[in-house]
Amino acid sequence: MRKKLWIILALAFIIPGLLFTASCAKKAVKDDAALAQQAEDEKAMAEKARQEELARQQAIEEERLKEAQEARDMFLNDDIYFEFDSSILTSEAQLLLKKKAEWLQNNPEAMSTIEGHCDDRGTNEYNLALGDRRATSAKTFLVDLGISASRLTTISYGEERPVDPGQNEEAWAKNRRCRFTTN
Amino acid sequence: MKSCRTLIACLIASVFILTIPGVSLAGYDYIDITQPYLRKLPIAVPFFKKISAGDDAAQLSRTLSDLLSDTLDFTGYFKIMNREAFLADPQTDAGFANVTFHDWTSIGAELLVTGGVLVKDNLLEVELRLYDTFKEKLLIGKRYKGGISDQRRIIRRFCSDVIYSLTGDRGIFNTKIAFVSTSSGTKEIYICEFDGYNIRRVTHAKTITLTPAWSSDGQWIAYTSYARGKPDLYIKHLKEKRGTVVSKKGLNITPAWLPNKFDLSATLSFSGDPEIYLLTGTGKVIKRLTNNKGIDVSPAWSPDGKNMAFVSKRSGTPQIHVKNLDSGQVNRLTFQGRYNTQPSWSPKGDKIAYSSMEKGRNNIFVIGIDGQGPIQLTHNEGDNESPSWSPDGNLIVFSSTREGPSRIYVMTGYGTDQRRLLTLKGQQTQPKWSPRMTRK
């Protein structure tokens, strides 16, 4: 009985010890893998973050480019309009010209030609002069906003280049305009 | 052109000595030149008599008589009588040299032109006579010799004599009309003879080309072209490769030559404002003629060169103004309407034609230089623009959209006899009547 008890005792010590060692060993192995995994995860995370940052920056850049393109498109595509037989800048025209001035300030290397156009109801000769007055009005406004006159050229096309050949107020209104180009 | 001139040198117009007693030159009392279109003179132009045998003479006897009646008809002075009413056979001598006046007076013809055509070895001999049928008088009798290609020249020269004998003025048969046409796809300048015949393209800029203006000797034209990308003023000799370009900043537009000088006026905007300047024919600025903020454009000179009509917006709307060059004084001429542009000063000096816009439509008006009138000449027929007087001051050429596309039309200075001058692909605008070409 005593021998049996001793064995039990021994077992009682050894088995947990074994168990301990076993568990100990097992635990050590598990920790190494976790560490590696963690490192990998971290690397992946960092990579992901880097990628994300890159994407973010790219998005920002794209947004910036898009905005620049939009600003450029605004500058080139948004014509300013005039009343019949008038070269006076309307408040809408002045607002647009302020935006165009901003763009010119942000793009100091850009040179621009301002085209003056008319609807075709008047006579060609007078309209050439009126187109000249319109382009000059727009140029003077931009110069007053601080744009160097040397960056701005004017040209009148009179009624020779309508955007809309229609014979109605809608078409005429579209044709009485200043168009901006960059060279 | 050179060969033409040699041919014209061989063209002999000989006044043959008239044997009919009592013939004298008419005393210009046929056409009242102050009211020339109130009563049109009935004139008979039968087919000419073919003097030589052959198809050429037969053909020409018809085409030349048609050409002659068309040419006379162009002036607006005549009522060309229908040939179906004629009693005399033109192929007999009675229809040519030995006229039975009763045959013509009985149908109401007051004037009669007879002709004889002889063709020999490609040479053309034409004898033409103008009779006063009621006075039973031969007014003009002439014989012309030339090549077949000289036929228009022969008829024009005779018509010129007819008009001279009836009005005391040489007429417009040796004049031309310059205009802008889009036939090639872009606006280019073309020139034709007074009746729309012989159309010739003069510019090949392949871009916008506008407002031709004749020098007073008819040898030069000035016009605006975007050939260098902007509206520049081109001064070009029509026959020789000479000329110059005025290419100042801004506008270089609306040229108008001074009478009897190699100077012209034009609108330039290099100062920042469209103003009218006086330039030499070589393109140098002599002086500034207007001085007013806002639009000043489209000069037109009085025949004596002392006054300049132009369009100014100085009173708020575009109106015709007149500047006296001696006193420097500017007077507003038009007060009716809110858009009066394109002045053309009559060569007779007393009137200015212009276009006036109402409700988006332009019409041609004439106003006395004293402000008398204005009289509207075109009504409810499309857009009518760019009036230009013939050098005798009787006719006005203009552009109209009455048939759809813009085309060139002619009318009398009183607005009667409106007709299309020519038909060409594209649109035709901005006609300008030449001065009388000096014969060379």
Side-chain angles (χ1 to χ4, degrees):
Chain A
M1 268 311 274
R2 194 174 287 176
K3 198 178 172 182
K4 201 178 173 182
L5 188 74
W6 192 85
I7 289 165
I8 290 165
L9 264 171
L11 281 171
F13 278 99
I14 290 159
I15 290 166
L18 277 171
L19 280 169
F20 187 68
T21 46
S23 72
C24 241
K26 205 180 169 189
K27 187 155 191 197
V29 169
K30 202 181 168 185
D31 276 358
D32 278 356
L35 275 172
Q37 181 63 47
Q38 200 181 346
E40 243 169 67
D41 285 354
E42 273 167 16
K43 216 171 125 188
M45 289 261 283
E47 177 61 21
K48 198 179 162 200
R50 204 178 67 80
Q51 291 285 354
E52 274 171 3
E53 176 61 18
L54 212 67
R56 202 176 66 82
Q57 275 180 12
Q58 210 169 332
I60 291 171
E61 178 63 12
E62 269 170 22
E63 184 67 16
R64 201 185 67 75
L65 281 174
K66 201 179 142 205
E67 274 170 17
Q69 187 58 45
E70 275 172 4
R72 189 183 159 79
D73 287 350
M74 175 281 299
F75 185 82
L76 293 176
N77 299 341
D78 288 4
D79 293 348
I80 64 167
Y81 297 105
F82 295 85
E83 298 292 318
F84 175 71
D85 189 26
S86 170
S87 55
I88 294 166
L89 300 168
T90 63
S91 49
E92 290 93 332
Q94 295 188 18
L95 271 176
L96 258 177
L97 282 171
K98 280 178 192 157
K99 284 197 206 164
K100 288 180 194 288
E102 218 171 279
W103 185 83
L104 284 166
Q105 262 145 4
N106 294 335
N107 295 272
E109 75 296 340
M111 310 279 276
S112 179
T113 297
I114 308 168
E115 299 175 358
H117 298 270
C118 305
D119 73 40
D120 68 355
R121 280 177 299 171
T123 44
N124 304 57
E125 300 87 343
Y126 180 81
N127 277 338
L128 281 172
L130 181 61
D132 188 74
R133 295 289 304 159
R134 285 178 175 162
T136 303
S137 283
K139 178 181 171 177
T140 307
F141 192 83
L142 292 174
V143 170
D144 288 348
L145 290 175
I147 308 301
S148 163
S150 63
R151 295 172 61 196
L152 304 169
T153 313
T154 59
I155 182 168
S156 173
Y157 283 103
E159 60 175 82
E160 307 299 327
R161 295 258 163 97
V163 279
D164 188 334
Q167 290 297 315
N168 50 64
E169 184 46 55
E170 201 188 331
W172 293 324
K174 275 191 231 165
N175 292 333
R176 295 190 298 263
R177 71 202 192 277
C178 273
R179 185 173 161 259
F180 294 74
T181 62
T182 56
N183 7 18
Chain B
M1 288 309 283
K2 278 276 185 296
S3 66
C4 280
R5 230 174 273 162
T6 358
L7 266 174
I8 200 74
C10 333
L11 189 153
I12 305 154
S14 55
V15 183
F16 47 87
I17 308 302
L18 303 157
T19 48
I20 304 163
V23 162
S24 69
L25 260 180
Y28 313 149
D29 53 355
Y30 289 88
I31 295 163
D32 175 7
I33 53 170
T34 60
Q35 294 285 328
Y37 311 106
L38 272 187
R39 198 186 78 86
K40 287 171 183 281
L41 273 175
I43 186 167
V45 186
F47 287 133
F48 297 156
K49 181 175 159 61
K50 53 179 200 294
I51 293 168
S52 58
D55 293 343
D56 281 359
Q59 173 87 35
L60 279 167
S61 68
R62 286 171 165 261
T63 55
L64 291 186
S65 54
D66 283 345
L67 179 60
L68 189 137
S69 51
D70 287 349
T71 304
L72 289 178
D73 194 24
F74 194 88
T75 62
Y77 293 144
F78 304 100
K79 176 178 174 285
I80 308 291
M81 299 191 66
N82 189 338
R83 289 188 182 124
E84 281 172 25
F86 297 172
L87 305 172
D89 178 359
Q91 296 310 324
T92 64
D93 211 32
F96 171 49
N98 295 314
V99 173
T100 314
F101 291 107
H102 181 72
D103 286 349
W104 302 102
T105 52
S106 63
I107 60 164
E110 293 178 26
L111 293 168
L112 168 69
V113 173
T114 64
V117 177
L118 188 144
V119 182
K120 200 166 74 186
D121 306 329
N122 260 337
L123 282 175
L124 178 64
E125 211 177 300
V126 186
E127 196 180 312
L128 295 166
R129 297 171 180 220
L130 172 71
Y131 294 98
D132 178 325
T133 51
F134 280 88
K135 288 184 187 158
E136 304 197 352
K137 231 163 67 172
L138 176 65
L139 300 178
I140 309 169
K142 289 209 170 179
R143 186 178 293 139
Y144 303 86
K145 285 180 189 171
I148 299 283
S149 62
D150 289 321
Q151 51 184 284
R152 282 182 55 81
R153 234 175 277 250
I154 291 168
I155 297 301
R156 275 185 348 214
R157 191 166 289 188
F158 181 74
C159 288
S160 193
D161 289 337
V162 170
I163 296 303
Y164 183 72
S165 75
L166 301 178
T167 68
D169 186 281
R170 280 274 159 210
I172 41 113
F173 304 125
N174 62 340
T175 63
K176 292 181 176 177
I177 291 167
F179 57 96
V180 170
S181 178
T182 60
S183 310
S184 67
T186 56
K187 288 191 170 179
E188 302 278 1
I189 291 168
Y190 291 69
I191 290 176
C192 64
E193 287 172 21
F194 75 96
D195 55 357
Y197 189 82
N198 201 7
I199 301 162
R200 181 167 74 92
R201 180 172 164 188
V202 256
T203 62
H204 294 81
K206 297 188 177 69
T207 178
I208 307 162
T209 306
L210 300 164
T211 60
W214 295 91
S215 65
S216 65
D217 64 356
Q219 302 294 305
W220 295 77
I221 54 164
Y223 57 91
T224 289
S225 178
Y226 284 67
R228 294 184 185 174
K230 56 189 266 311
D232 294 327
L233 181 68
Y234 289 72
I235 303 170
K236 182 184 156 91
H237 194 277
L238 279 168
K239 289 190 180 123
E240 296 152 24
K241 285 201 166 157
R242 286 197 284 149
T244 187
V245 184
V246 180
S247 180
K248 296 192 187 296
K249 190 169 76 95
L251 299 172
N252 301 269
I253 60 165
T254 66
W257 295 83
L258 271 81
N260 308 316
K261 276 189 183 171
F262 190 57
D263 290 341
L264 71 167
S265 55
T267 302
L268 312 174
S269 70
F270 64 85
S271 72
D273 197 44
E275 299 283 358
I276 298 168
Y277 294 81
L278 184 64
L279 303 152
T280 66
T282 54
K284 296 199 172 51
V285 171
I286 301 169
K287 64 176 174 183
R288 184 166 159 173
L289 297 175
T290 58
N291 206 330
N292 165 69
K293 183 130 181 65
I295 297 171
D296 291 306
V297 72
S298 297
W301 291 92
S302 65
D304 61 7
K306 288 182 177 164
N307 292 284
M308 178 184 79
F310 63 102
V311 174
S312 180
K313 209 191 175 182
R314 59 190 67 193
S315 53
T317 54
Q319 298 291 347
I320 314 288
H321 290 68
V322 174
K323 175 169 177 143
N324 180 279
L325 272 288
D326 293 334
S327 69
Q329 204 181 332
V330 174
N331 288 314
R332 180 173 164 182
L333 180 67
T334 53
F335 289 90
Q336 187 180 306
R338 295 182 53 78
Y339 196 107
N340 297 316
T341 60
Q342 302 181 319
S344 171
W345 205 305
S346 162
K348 288 177 181 167
D350 57 339
K351 292 175 192 166
I352 287 171
Y354 62 98
S355 60
S356 180
M357 185 167 68
E358 200 189 345
K359 291 180 186 143
R361 290 280 194 196
N362 278 290
N363 275 301
I364 313 286
F365 284 70
V366 164
I367 189 169
I369 54 159
D370 52 2
Q372 280 266 323
I375 298 162
Q376 185 171 350
L377 303 187
T378 58
H379 303 263
N380 308 320
E381 283 195 292
D383 203 53
N384 299 278
E385 294 185 17
S386 303
S388 171
W389 290 94
S390 61
D392 63 354
N394 284 329
L395 302 173
I396 293 172
V397 65
F398 62 103
S399 70
S400 176
T401 61
R402 60 187 62 186
E403 291 173 287
S406 181
R407 298 206 187 288
I408 309 294
Y409 294 78
V410 172
M411 62 182 164
T412 70
Y414 297 87
T416 65
D417 304 270
Q418 301 192 12
R419 62 233 124 111
R420 191 177 63 235
L421 184 70
L422 49 84
T423 309
L424 206 59
K425 205 180 126 196
Q427 308 221 31
Q428 289 79 48
T429 50
Q430 300 183 325
K432 209 53 132 305
W433 215 309
S434 82
R436 282 183 255 233
M437 304 289 179
T438 39
R439 273 183 195 161
K440 294 216 167 145

